[in-house]
Amino acid sequence: MGTMDIIQDQGPRVRQIFNDFFKTEEIGSFVNGEIVHGAGETLNLTDPSSGRVFATFNDADQSVIDLAMEASGTAQREWMKLTASARGRIMFEIGRQIRENAAAIAEIESRSAGRPIRDIRGEAIKVAEMFEYYAGWCDKLHGEVIPVPTSHLNYTRNEPIGVVVQITPWNAPLFTGGWQIAPAICAGNGVVIKPSELTPLSTLILGALCERAGAPRGLVNVISGQGTTAGQAAIKHSKTGLVVFVGSAHAGSLIAATAAKSVVPCILELGGKSANIVFNDADIDRAILGAQSAIFGGAGQSCVAGSRLLVHRSIHQKFVERYASATNKIPVGNPFEDTTHVGPINNLRQWNKIAEMVELGLGEGATLAAGGGRPQALEGTGGFYFAPTILDNVAPNATLSREEVFGPVVGVTPFDTEEEAITLANNNPYGLAGAVWTQNVAKAHRVASQVRAGTFWINGYKTISVMSPFGGFGKSGYGRSSGKDALMAYTQTKSIWVETAAEPPVAFGYVG
Ligand code: NAD
């Protein structure tokens, strides 16, 4: 296939899908059940596979945020008037709607965000599962009766917070959107979600499907706008009860600082620099496959990416040779082709950052084992392609061992002992994920218990489920975004005391 065959104008097809859901081709925010247009700066949507702008929209201004917060507050009260079971039925219907529209959702995500279609089809179904899982929780979220040592009946209620502001990144807009919207509405909240200004489309569709499934108009509002403008305005809004942020550690700390000024709590799901540890007693074929999906899945634009590969010195050289040879075979190309495993980087800024980090890694003494830059075959496309890259012999304190690249770049570091592997894994302020490959069960569990990370895999990588809690240790953030833990994070506990004594209390003996 020639270069020109893979350059497509995504505009017409993206507009057509958008129009099918919203009856307009003009992109804006989805507020109180309709598309509203911001009055801010004009922002471009760029196709990562060609570098061409295919759509524009205006940044959401304060009036859009005010409208969304108001609508969400009103709808949230309506939502809570329904029985818990009725809310569950609507959430189940949202899941069904997502399944029914999975092909269109996957297509728009692939065309607009550059994610390989073969990954996104499955992801759309996972998003349906998120709503179905929490649908079942709606009528099982209840408090406790506590045997207090007084004459009182004391019970707790897990009440919704009110309106939740959610801010998500460009690397997985559909997935992170569902991941946050589902537990929030299950717990009874209204949502104002701001996806990345680079990738708002799939989240807009999720908002529309929530309403189509029967959620009150305005329960889920989707803001198309920038973080520093629309995002900050939403965080500062007087109706905001909780901020949930998925993105970089840098933005996360700024967001938490803004929220703290009005004593609004935050859940932060931030970046990572996860260690993938391979011992010499591992099933090597599986470990090589695992080390590929760990870092090259999603072109490395994954918060849990296994970007530090720690390999036992006795197998290090052979392992890297085989890993590099496998990596050179990974099909990189147009995300909309079924055969593509690794698509483009989402945006040029990120591509440049990845190239700089590779250069820095080589300058600090690493050796190039695979990749290193733009694949030659894709030179003329204008797309932001970066070849899967392996840098070997990365020193434990090199920049590449400390800082997130957020691209298809893995740094390999050899180790000698189990203790050293654990020390190296923990030699980082992040703590999002990690993995170990060994056939020794006891060793696997020893390592799993000692690596500081919110998610850890034994002889696997990257599997996550809405049923299991997910979140970071250390600089990877705080709070949990799935499973039962997320529900608790999206509620506030009220303690209610009912006096049951036959005689009135006697602390003060006067009634008038
Ligand atoms: P980013 O932090 O630049 O942006 C994320 C979101 O925050 C966007 O919607 C952006 O508009 C908004 N934003 C940015 N600055 C803001 C500010 N000052 N105030 C309010 N909002 C602001 O991150 P990104 O580059 O879009 O995404 C990549 C990062 O996300 C990586 O660090 C990655 O590890 C992380 N990530 C984490 C998880 C997780 O669950 N832990 C999942 C996916 C991505």
Side-chain angles (χ1 to χ4, degrees), residues 167-172 176 179-180 194-198 225-229 231-232 235 245-252 254-255 258 268-272 301-304 349-350 404 406 430 432 470 472 476 481:
I167 298 181
T168 54
W170 45 257
N171 64 309
T176 50
W179 196 245
Q180 298 303 342
K194 194 207 78 64
S196 166
E197 59 277 23
L198 302 172
Q226 302 186 98
T228 47
T229 52
Q232 284 287 328
I235 299 164
F245 173 72
V246 185
S248 63
H250 173 71
L254 294 175
I255 283 164
T258 304
L268 299 180
E269 296 281 4
L270 309 177
Q301 302 163 107
S302 159
C303 53
V304 294
R349 200 167 141 223
Q350 186 60 23
E404 190 180 40
F406 217 57
Y430 288 115
L432 194 59
F470 179 85
S476 290
S481 281

